[in-house]
Amino acid sequence: MAAVYKSLSRTNGHKDEVPKHKQRVLILSSRGVTHRHRHLLNDLYSLLPHSRRESKLDTKTKLYQLNELAELYNCNNVVFFEARKGKDLYIWMSKAPNGPTVKMHLQNLHTMSELHFPGNCLKGSRPILSFDATFDTQPHLLVIKELLMHVFAVPKGARKTKPFVDHVMGFTLADGKVWIRCFQINETEVSKADGKIDGDAENTIVKGKSPKGGRAETKISLTEIGPRFVLTPIVILESSFGGPVIYENKEFVSPNQVRSELRLSKAGRYARRSDAGVESKVKKRELGLRSGEGRRQREGDELEERVLFA
């Protein structure tokens, strides 16, 4: 009867309901993630109440299976963490089932428990997303901004959300990379005994009404919560985990190539040292100097013990 009453009240009611902006995010990883990568997944899951965590995906080639998982769990956004060689971590963000999809390389990872960040926020609260103005300059940056908004923006009325906004997520673009940090919003009333406040970049004074009816000044400051990491865009695909490439970062250098160049540089130093040793021996021979290899053995003495008592 309660369900019937609710359905009738919705149809006969004069008050029109605002349609909900439904967004659900599926978070999962591949095999081979480290403990730091796993802690990052837990931090993101706790910050995004509209997300759903799934077990590890067994394959790294058939990524189109993620669309079927998203449809199975009624999710329209997918965040997939791909680990390679136990060192590198790549993140895929897709808008299922039609796309687009962006692949990025994750670096400089610091989780919540790693650096003991002093900030804290209510679990289930909604964040404020702060984007750099540089995101509006190029088309591929607009696509990345839209995907980040769909993933990290918690819609109003989503499951497990609370009607509070107490933290900010900042997305800054520098050196062709996206720097992501999360801060807690602290509000404290300014008393006369506090005196003047230093004009820091993270401190702001806002005038508002006090509970007693008068006007009071509120000091707003930011305290970092974590996690913090850097994303380097690699490619953007037209559809969800497939389709033609609509953007490719030509300046991206694979970490495998960086490690191979380091190994070659070390091998080159050893080769130069060995060549220098060979050249020094050749020069000594040309000058008629005795080298370590061409020394004549000392002629034996007839009065030595090993000769007399042989």
Side-chain angles (χ1 to χ4, degrees):
M1 292 298 295
V4 175
Y5 174 75
K6 287 182 179 179
S7 61
L8 292 175
S9 62
R10 289 176 183 174
T11 55
N12 300 329
H14 298 286
K15 188 176 180 181
D16 297 335
E17 293 185 357
V18 179
K20 293 183 179 180
H21 183 60
K22 295 183 179 180
Q23 295 287 341
R24 294 192 67 184
V25 183
L26 179 65
I27 300 177
L28 72 164
S29 65
S30 65
R31 298 285 180 182
V33 292
T34 61
H35 65 283
R36 299 179 72 246
H37 302 161
R38 188 170 60 252
H39 291 170
L40 174 63
L41 265 70
N42 295 334
D43 294 345
L44 292 179
Y45 180 72
S46 61
L47 285 175
L48 303 177
H50 65 303
S51 63
R52 178 185 178 88
R53 186 169 49 185
E54 181 58 21
S55 58
K56 298 177 182 179
L57 188 68
D58 292 331
T59 179
K60 295 183 181 180
T61 56
K62 302 177 182 179
L63 297 183
Y64 57 85
Q65 297 178 359
L66 294 172
N67 296 324
E68 301 175 1
L69 284 176
E71 184 180 1
L72 181 63
Y73 293 113
N74 195 19
C75 297
N76 52 3
N77 299 287
V78 180
V79 179
F80 177 64
F81 292 88
E82 181 184 357
R84 294 183 182 177
K85 297 185 177 181
K87 302 176 182 178
D88 308 326
L89 183 64
Y90 296 88
I91 179 172
W92 295 74
M93 293 185 184
S94 174
K95 186 71 179 175
N98 299 323
T101 304
V102 59
K103 178 184 179 182
M104 293 180 283
H105 181 221
L106 194 146
Q107 294 174 299
N108 300 337
L109 170 62
H110 300 285
T111 59
M112 289 183 181
S113 59
E114 193 173 270
L115 296 182
H116 304 286
F117 292 111
N120 193 7
C121 65
L122 182 65
K123 188 172 183 179
S125 61
R126 300 173 60 206
I128 298 174
L129 303 185
S130 174
F131 286 91
D132 192 359
T134 318
F135 279 96
D136 300 330
T137 56
Q138 298 181 12
H140 70 279
L141 296 178
L142 287 172
V143 176
I144 294 174
K145 176 182 177 181
E146 192 69 21
L147 283 172
L148 291 173
M149 287 177 59
H150 282 250
V151 171
F152 291 98
V154 180
K156 186 177 181 180
R159 68 182 190 94
K160 297 183 181 179
T161 56
K162 296 179 175 60
F164 297 102
V165 178
D166 58 354
H167 62 286
V168 180
M169 295 194 71
F171 301 89
T172 308
L173 193 67
D175 298 332
K177 302 177 182 180
V178 182
W179 302 67
I180 300 179
R181 299 178 72 180
C182 188
F183 297 92
Q184 175 193 1
I185 303 174
N186 297 322
E187 295 185 8
T188 55
E189 292 187 0
V190 180
S191 60
K192 296 181 180 179
D194 294 340
K196 296 182 179 180
I197 301 176
D198 298 333
D200 297 338
E202 297 183 353
N203 296 333
T204 309
I205 299 177
V206 179
K207 293 184 179 180
K209 293 184 179 181
S210 63
K212 297 181 180 179
R215 297 185 64 84
E217 292 182 348
T218 304
K219 175 185 175 184
I220 298 179
S221 60
L222 299 178
T223 307
E224 189 167 2
I225 302 174
R228 63 164 72 161
F229 50 92
V230 181
L231 300 177
T232 305
I234 303 175
V235 292
I236 299 179
L237 306 178
E238 185 177 357
S239 60
S240 180
F241 296 102
V245 178
I246 59 178
Y247 170 76
E248 184 178 1
N249 188 6
K250 301 294 184 180
E251 298 179 356
F252 175 73
V253 181
S254 174
N256 292 330
Q257 185 177 354
V258 174
R259 287 191 289 265
S260 65
E261 290 179 355
L262 289 175
R263 288 193 296 267
L264 289 175
S265 63
K266 292 180 180 179
R269 289 198 298 267
Y270 172 75
R272 286 192 293 271
R273 287 198 304 267
S274 60
D275 292 342
V278 172
E279 290 178 359
S280 64
K281 292 179 181 178
V282 171
K283 288 181 180 179
K284 288 181 179 180
R285 289 172 185 170
E286 292 177 353
L287 295 175
L289 301 177
R290 291 183 178 180
S291 59
E293 297 178 355
R295 290 180 181 176
R296 296 181 179 177
Q297 295 182 358
R298 188 179 59 178
E299 297 180 357
D301 191 1
E302 297 180 355
L303 299 179
E304 287 185 355
E305 293 184 356
R306 62 182 182 86
V307 177
L308 294 175
F309 300 101

